[in-house]
Amino acid sequence: MATERYNAREAEARWQKAWTEAKVFETKNDDPRPKYYVLEMFPYPSGRIHIGHVRNYTMGDVVARYKRARGFNVLHPMGWDAFGMPAENAAMKGHVHPKSWTYDNIATMRGQLKSMGLSLDWSREFATCDVEYYTQQQKLFLDFMKAGLVSRKKSKVNWDPVDMTVLANEQVIDGRGWRSGALVEQRELVQWFLKISDFSEELLSAIDTLDRWPEKVRTMQRNWIGKSEGLRVRFEIDGPAAGGDPTIEVFTTRPDTLFGMSFLAISADHPVARALGEGNADVTAFIDDCHRIGTSAAALETAEKKGYDTGLKVRHPFNGKSYPVYIANFVLMDYGTGAIFGCPAHDQRDLDFARKYDLTVTPVVLPDGEDAGNFVVGNVAFTEDGKLINSDFLNGLGVDEAKNKVASILETRDLHGKPAGARQVNYRLRDWGISRQRYWGCPIPVIHCDSCGVVPVPTKDLPVKLPDDVEFDRPGNPLDRHPTFSKCTCPECGKPARRETDTMDTFVDSSWYYSRFTEPRAGTPTVPSVVNSWLPVDQYIGGIEHAILHLLYSRFFTRAMKATGHVDFDEPFRGLFTQGMVVHETYQTADGEWVSPGDVDIVTDGGTRKARLRTTGEDVTIGAIEKMSKSKKNTVDPNDILESFGADTARWFMLSDSPPERDVEWTDAGAQGTARFLQRVWRIVSETSELVPATGTAEGGDKLALTLRKAAHKTLAMVEENIEGLRFNVALAKIYELVNTIGSALANERGTLEGDLAASNALREAVGILVKIMAPMTPHLAEESWAALGHDGMLALSDWPVLEKSLLVEDEITLPVQVNGKKRADVTVSRTAGNAEVEAAALALEPVIRALEGKSPKKVIVVPGRIVNVVA
RNA sequence: GCCCCAGUGGCGAAAUGGUAGACGCGGCAGACUCAAAAUCUGUUAUCUGCGAGGAUGUGCUGGUUCGAGUCCGGCCUGGGGCACCA
């Protein structure tokens, strides 16, 4: 058969051009068909697309192309999450302006994405660093201010005392600044916040409505919001008050354990701690020590638990005893009241602390089945339910009863003019600090006036544009030292004033871009009628690493935009899918240098794989399969893949094998296998077009014709089901099976196919279905094949095949037969056979009789259409 | 440290509580070829057996069930997130 090989490079460029020229993927807002909005998380323009992008955008594209074929008006846009630190780092390192660095990167990456053949509406593209985009974002900010959703308060930052600059958490390594190596300090700055905590309850309860989100993401968000019901308890200071207030208030979810108290601990930032620190060098030293741990929760909680005994005592509300007050490095000022009471027997952290400082451990909750006389707590706290002991009037109660009793008493008792206790619902979720002391972000549009205070920039004066003439020759915020940026006049009184130099967290940019795509050039943030018709996003696809922050901020932002009239819906993402990462083997030379896969040859020597350095032939060690990272050099550049194999191979391979939510490993051998498979499909298409030139209708037929038709329609049904469920790897496996069926028919039944019209029409139908169901994954090959089969017009514009359900029904079914849960035989029965009939047939089988060893069955379980289990 | 997730052949994996290993990669054997590549066919969990077959097997461990990779309890290992990386 003189079939030419499929030339991916040539065909892909040709079809990409044809799609662009015909504007096939440009979406109209007034199209009457039902809408479908599919969106992948937009990329940060780091310079080159990453293999993870290839995977993410291929998945979205499969959905987009599939839904388009099924008759939807599909919106599938792309843009750039273009503000952020790397541009400034590049500016400091390479003397290139963040703006040109970013836009150059975008140009490169746009080209790479285009070569993937994604069905994107490029006419809607924007970058968040476009002045047009951040102007609208500034308008939103001003509207949020008006609506009372913005606040200013003091909050902590990591401060590098040598570079004199604020550091991001990732720039703090082992407590030191990444460039200077100086010990990082905490500083308090007055910063801008969005009041996400106003929506804590709403964001929590609405999680129940997100039924097309992964359960694990919903759980993570629930835990993050962290609703807890507890009691604020005020303890009287035993002796002179520090700082005026004669009491210290704690928040606890376990008021039932009050009688097990052995200390009270306050945060290093608690007003009492600060008051004690004044004029006391020891206290100050301890507080400074706490501040050096950093600001990240992970650092705080993995640090060794330390406390400082202040010498202060508090009086217990019930037993009248005094307990020591510690300043402790694990108590957070941001959560609750910044103070806790410690009950070591029933809280692990308190127990660790008590053991370290030799404090008493009194169990007050007795596990069921334990004896109060012998029960002791060792090094594991008991945190579950039980009966109260050693607790005076609470003895014998359950945990919940005891909590209620304590709350009822304390909320009616007076302590220095206020109730001694108050029930409170508390959330872990904190307000969203959006201030960044950096250049490459959206300027916060406010002005500071000595007379008028904080004044919003009037809308007519927007945008507050980032100046281009900035220098990165030293660390710190270039906006601060810019000669004119901060100089302005107060819009209210006209006196000289200062412009805010903080810019916004880049999470703000990504919290509403999905709405902007619906009308990306509008002079308002959104056009409500348009955005309300498109949103919510039907299918959002992105990395699991965004499970909490980005997705929660977006959910909040949508509500804030609703409150200010920009949108009229609550939840931005109806369906969410979180994909796994792309991983790769690592390679290391004998002296520990990491080696890139591109510099390594893999050889198989007697069944074992070995790796050699291509240049020198030196053996290198094959290491663990890990997340691709620059430091381990185990990255694969998608460009190489696209150039050597073509987009369809890259796309197909990214979808095959691994389930999309799991990590996937890129292997060269796998890519080659995919390329071979695509050539095989091309041969099948070519042979079919030569063999069956006429267009006939497939119907009826027997033997081969029926086999082919059944295989094609069964595959069609499975592919529909598995694309809808985003199980791409399974959909692909079913396509392989169809190709195997068609391939073996072409190889072994040539005579029938040439002589029997029913068979040849069935072949043609099967190949046509094959091409169409592959089109979402390998669109270029599918277009080329469609044309080769003699069709006019683009496949991208044609409909999905119509499923003939009658072909899915089988007359006979084969059921496995188990004896005591072990499979012993198969039984083939009519589809309509009743349970008694199936049972009789199963018991008559020779292997079943043998397995029963003469015993009579006690019970026979027949699950219709599934299985027979004989219990002996 | 806290929250969440994953673990199945040599490898990637499949499996509404119902035949564990579909499909692919790799390997092995064969066909075609002067030869190679490409292609095609067969085979491929482990142990045992000439074979029919039998036994074992889904990270470890205990449980629920007629039946558990799947559900529940306790562990182990790896990964993601932890509020200024995006």
Side-chain angles (χ1 to χ4, degrees):
Chain A
M1 180 73 46
T3 301
E4 279 185 36
R5 284 178 67 78
Y6 172 67
N7 183 345
R9 182 190 278 266
E10 184 275 326
E12 288 180 358
R14 182 156 40 76
W15 285 109
Q16 283 166 18
K17 188 159 169 272
W19 294 327
T20 305
E21 281 171 2
K23 301 191 174 188
V24 177
F25 306 125
E26 289 188 17
T27 305
K28 295 198 173 61
N29 285 340
D30 57 2
D31 189 306
R33 292 174 299 172
K35 69 98 183 179
Y36 194 90
Y37 187 0
V38 55
L39 183 69
E40 302 97 57
M41 291 179 187
F42 65 165
Y44 178 78
S46 57
R48 304 179 75 75
I49 60 168
H50 181 274
I51 195 77
H53 296 133
V54 176
R55 193 179 190 206
N56 191 181
Y57 301 141
T58 300
M59 289 180 197
D61 201 46
V62 169
V63 174
R65 286 178 181 269
Y66 172 76
K67 287 289 175 183
R68 223 176 264 119
R70 303 231 64 170
F72 288 89
N73 181 35
V74 171
L75 177 59
H76 187 210
M78 181 56 71
W80 309 95
D81 189 11
F83 276 136
M85 286 203 309
E88 291 191 50
N89 293 339
M92 278 187 264
K93 218 165 106 187
H95 308 292
V96 51
H97 196 280
K99 190 187 212 172
S100 54
W101 184 84
T102 303
Y103 281 104
D104 285 353
N105 284 348
I106 288 175
T108 308
M109 290 173 71
R110 184 193 298 116
Q112 292 179 322
L113 289 186
K114 285 193 171 177
S115 72
M116 282 180 63
L118 302 169
S119 65
L120 291 164
D121 182 351
W122 284 104
S123 74
R124 293 172 187 252
E125 175 194 359
F126 60 77
T128 55
C129 64
D130 293 346
V131 178
E132 294 74 24
Y133 184 79
Y134 73 70
T135 303
Q136 302 307 322
Q137 189 161 304
Q138 290 174 343
K139 285 187 196 163
L140 288 175
F141 181 87
L142 294 174
D143 284 351
F144 289 1
M145 259 182 112
K146 237 178 264 167
L149 294 168
V150 175
S151 67
R152 285 184 92 213
K153 55 188 172 188
K154 276 189 180 172
S155 115
K156 286 189 219 159
V157 292
N158 300 306
W159 179 256
D160 186 322
V162 170
D163 276 356
M164 304 289 280
T165 186
V166 178
L167 297 176
N169 282 337
E170 72 158 9
Q171 297 174 320
V172 180
I173 296 152
D174 296 330
R176 291 172 183 274
W178 65 331
R179 285 169 191 279
S180 68
L183 276 176
V184 169
E185 299 169 359
Q186 282 182 2
R187 276 221 173 169
E188 284 206 318
L189 297 178
V190 177
Q191 308 208 61
W192 291 96
F193 284 80
L194 296 183
K195 290 163 84 176
I196 188 173
S197 65
D198 283 7
F199 294 81
S200 298
E201 183 58 42
E202 157 67 14
L203 287 168
L204 176 67
S205 60
I207 291 173
D208 294 341
T209 68
L210 300 172
D211 57 340
R212 285 185 47 223
W213 280 39
E215 194 53 50
K216 64 173 164 180
V217 176
R218 304 206 293 166
T219 307
M220 281 190 263
Q221 292 215 348
R222 282 191 191 102
N223 291 340
W224 185 260
I225 294 169
K227 182 177 183 173
S228 60
E229 292 175 26
L231 193 68
R232 295 172 84 111
V233 182
R234 295 172 62 237
F235 286 86
E236 185 172 36
I237 296 173
D238 197 5
D245 190 342
T247 65
I248 296 177
E249 188 172 41
V250 304
F251 175 77
T252 176
T253 57
R254 292 300 300 274
D256 56 303
T257 63
L258 257 176
F259 284 94
M261 172 175 184
S262 62
F263 63 95
L264 190 142
I266 59 176
S267 160
D269 299 304
H270 195 280
V272 170
R274 293 188 181 204
L276 289 169
E278 278 170 32
N280 184 326
D282 282 356
V283 174
T284 309
F286 183 79
I287 292 175
D288 287 349
D289 224 35
C290 292
H291 285 166
R292 269 194 281 277
I293 299 172
T295 58
S296 82
L300 291 170
E301 291 186 44
T302 47
E304 192 194 348
K305 308 277 172 287
K306 280 189 193 165
Y308 179 89
D309 189 346
T310 61
L312 214 60
K313 306 271 184 200
V314 288
R315 198 170 297 129
H316 192 280
F318 296 125
N319 67 16
K321 289 186 201 162
S322 283
Y323 291 94
V325 175
Y326 282 78
I327 300 170
N329 63 1
F330 60 89
V331 179
L332 303 174
M333 195 58 221
D334 294 320
Y335 185 75
T337 61
I340 60 154
F341 83 82
C343 173
H346 307 289
D347 182 282
Q348 192 60 46
R349 219 161 34 174
D350 295 349
L351 182 61
D352 297 342
F353 190 82
R355 292 295 181 218
K356 181 167 174 140
Y357 293 100
D358 215 14
L359 301 166
T360 52
V361 178
T362 312
V364 290
V365 181
L366 184 70
D368 289 342
E370 287 278 349
D371 179 65
N374 317 334
F375 180 61
V376 281
V377 169
N379 286 316
V380 181
F382 175 68
T383 55
E384 278 156 59
D385 202 359
K387 285 273 177 291
L388 273 284
I389 53 169
N390 302 327
S391 297
D392 194 353
F393 59 91
L394 298 175
N395 284 339
L397 298 181
V399 165
D400 284 339
E401 291 169 293
K403 281 182 184 173
N404 269 322
K405 191 150 187 181
V406 168
S408 309
I409 294 171
L410 290 182
E411 65 194 354
T412 52
R413 183 190 287 182
D414 179 83
L415 185 63
H416 293 283
K418 279 193 271 180
R423 288 176 213 255
Q424 194 192 354
V425 175
N426 201 50
Y427 298 89
R428 208 183 71 101
L429 181 64
R430 309 199 295 257
D431 277 335
W432 175 12
I434 60 157
S435 281
R436 296 293 180 271
Q437 293 72 40
R438 276 187 252 287
Y439 166 74
W440 196 231
C442 172
I444 294 174
V446 294
I447 286 165
H448 301 274
C449 169
D450 287 338
S451 315
C452 311
V454 170
V455 182
V457 173
T459 312
K460 65 173 173 54
D461 294 343
L462 291 183
V464 177
K465 263 174 92 169
L466 285 174
D468 287 337
D469 54 334
V470 282
E471 307 219 330
F472 292 90
D473 51 342
R474 42 206 155 121
N477 182 358
L479 289 180
D480 262 346
R481 52 175 188 256
H482 189 275
T484 55
F485 179 77
S486 60
K487 287 184 186 144
C488 61
T489 52
C490 173
E492 288 188 0
C493 67
K495 284 188 225 159
R498 277 166 298 110
R499 187 179 296 289
E500 173 67 63
T501 56
D502 280 357
T503 52
M504 294 185 207
D505 178 8
T506 57
F507 272 124
V508 178
D509 312 338
S510 57
S511 287
W512 69 286
Y513 76 110
Y514 47 86
S515 284
R516 184 71 183 164
F517 275 134
T518 62
E519 197 67 86
R521 315 286 172 235
T524 48
T526 65
V527 174
S529 63
V530 175
V531 73
N532 293 334
S533 73
W534 275 113
L535 271 281
V537 173
D538 294 278
Q539 186 64 60
Y540 194 39
I541 306 176
I544 182 66
E545 65 272 20
H546 294 293
I548 296 176
L549 293 181
H550 162 61
L551 291 166
L552 193 60
Y553 289 150
S554 296
R555 295 182 61 219
F556 155 69
F557 220 81
T558 300
R559 286 166 171 82
M561 285 175 76
K562 186 182 180 187
T564 49
H566 294 285
V567 302
D568 191 26
F569 50 89
D570 292 311
E571 288 293 341
F573 311 122
R574 173 98 181 78
L576 173 70
F577 188 82
T578 52
Q579 56 156 0
M581 295 174 305
V582 181
V583 296
H584 198 282
E585 273 178 343
T586 49
Y587 309 102
Q588 239 176 334
T589 60
D591 37 297
E593 285 277 305
W594 297 102
V595 184
S596 153
D599 299 333
V600 168
D601 283 320
I602 302 289
V603 288
T604 308
D605 182 9
T608 49
R609 291 175 72 247
K610 288 189 174 170
R612 292 208 184 105
L613 208 56
R614 183 162 302 148
T615 45
T616 62
E618 182 194 345
D619 277 347
V620 292
T621 318
I622 300 182
I625 296 167
E626 295 185 41
K627 172 180 173 175
M628 287 190 179
S629 71
K630 279 185 191 142
S631 58
K632 301 255 172 93
K633 288 198 180 167
N634 61 335
T635 54
V636 174
D637 192 335
N639 231 36
D640 299 344
I641 298 156
L642 291 170
E643 274 174 21
S644 48
F645 296 108
D648 284 341
T649 296
R651 293 168 58 115
W652 183 273
F653 181 63
M654 277 293 104
L655 298 168
S656 64
D657 293 359
S658 285
E661 69 277 11
R662 228 188 278 182
D663 295 349
V664 70
E665 186 196 359
W666 177 273
T667 64
D668 220 44
Q672 280 163 13
T674 296
R676 275 203 301 275
F677 169 74
L678 297 185
Q679 288 295 344
R680 188 171 177 219
V681 170
W682 176 245
R683 277 195 306 278
I684 284 175
V685 168
S686 305
E687 287 185 33
T688 302
S689 67
E690 284 172 31
L691 200 64
V692 200
T695 314
T697 308
E699 55 190 356
D702 56 0
K703 294 187 219 97
L704 183 58
L706 198 60
T707 305
L708 284 170
R709 299 205 67 213
K710 277 190 171 178
H713 283 271
K714 267 186 190 158
T715 306
L716 175 59
M718 295 305 289
V719 169
E720 283 176 10
E721 191 184 315
N722 285 299
I723 288 182
E724 300 262 4
L726 307 179
R727 291 176 295 270
F728 305 112
N729 55 322
V730 183
L732 265 54
K734 301 298 171 191
I735 292 176
Y736 278 115
E737 287 183 35
L738 177 60
V739 168
N740 288 341
T741 305
I742 297 174
S744 70
L746 275 167
N748 305 323
E749 311 259 10
R750 206 136 196 122
T752 317
L753 288 170
E754 280 167 8
D756 178 350
L757 188 64
S760 62
N761 281 336
L763 173 69
R764 197 179 178 81
E765 181 197 43
V767 174
I769 287 175
L770 172 67
V771 167
K772 281 197 167 184
I773 60 182
M774 283 180 71
M777 283 71 85
T778 55
H780 312 86
L781 173 66
E783 288 283 7
E784 194 75 355
S785 300
W786 193 241
L789 287 171
H791 297 277
D792 295 328
M794 279 185 205
L795 184 56
L797 293 167
S798 73
D799 291 338
W800 192 249
V802 177
L803 179 66
E804 270 186 47
K805 285 200 174 138
S806 61
L807 288 167
L808 307 184
V809 183
E810 297 289 352
D811 293 332
E812 287 195 326
I813 50 173
T814 300
L815 300 178
V817 182
Q818 297 181 332
V819 177
N820 291 330
K822 271 197 174 99
K823 195 210 162 188
R824 295 293 174 183
D826 289 303
V827 64
T828 300
V829 294
S830 153
R831 182 168 50 86
T832 54
N835 283 3
E837 206 178 318
V838 175
E839 183 177 329
L843 289 174
L845 294 167
E846 194 273 328
V848 174
I849 294 165
R850 184 150 31 93
L852 283 172
E853 293 170 326
K855 284 176 269 184
S856 59
K858 284 190 196 128
K859 191 160 130 192
V860 179
I861 294 154
V862 178
V863 184
R866 273 285 166 200
I867 203 167
V868 182
N869 191 12
V870 181
V871 185

